[in-house]
Amino acid sequence: MTQYAIIANDATDENALERRTAARTEHLENIKKLKASDNFIKAAAMLNDNGDMCGSIMLMQFEDRAAFDQYLASEAYVTQNVWGEIKVQEVKVAPI
């Protein structure tokens, strides 16, 4: 499997946190499915100076880039316009 890091900053408009909160349940339900299928490795929400969520860091693995891209296109934080800036990098997670 190929491993990927997603570093995504939330959009910066005044409704961004509201959209994140609204999409969060769907996002977490999908993560549970991805964990069961061994695609999910680890994730964390990034926090701003006020302690509010403002982005995500995720480690994922898929058979190939096409499968990863299919996941990303259906990610709730993408489809509901939560993430504004998304960086994807192929990585190798340490086997510890």
Side-chain angles (χ1 to χ4, degrees), residues 1-4 39 61-70:
M1 288 222 206
T2 305
Q3 298 172 330
Y4 302 94
N39 297 113
Q61 59 186 6
F62 289 86
E63 287 299 321
D64 54 33
R65 182 61 190 239
F68 171 79
D69 288 341
Q70 184 177 9

Side-chain angles (χ1 to χ4, degrees), residues 9-17 19 54 81-85:
N9 293 305
D10 289 0
T12 57
D13 62 274
E14 64 184 39
N15 297 319
L17 184 56
R19 284 195 310 279
C54 64
N81 299 312
V82 173
W83 289 340
E85 179 186 346

Side-chain angles (χ1 to χ4, degrees), residues 6-58:
I6 301 169
I7 302 170
N9 293 305
D10 289 0
T12 57
D13 62 274
E14 64 184 39
N15 297 319
L17 184 56
E18 182 179 313
R19 284 195 310 279
R20 174 181 266 274
T21 301
R24 193 162 193 261
T25 298
E26 181 182 344
H27 167 74
L28 293 175
E29 287 300 317
N30 288 336
I31 293 299
K32 288 178 188 177
K33 293 174 189 172
L34 290 164
K35 184 173 176 68
S37 64
D38 200 33
N39 297 113
F40 173 83
I41 300 171
K42 202 71 158 175
M46 295 188 294
L47 305 177
N48 63 19
D49 292 340
N50 296 326
D52 296 323
M53 292 180 283
C54 64
S56 306
I57 299 171
M58 299 177 70

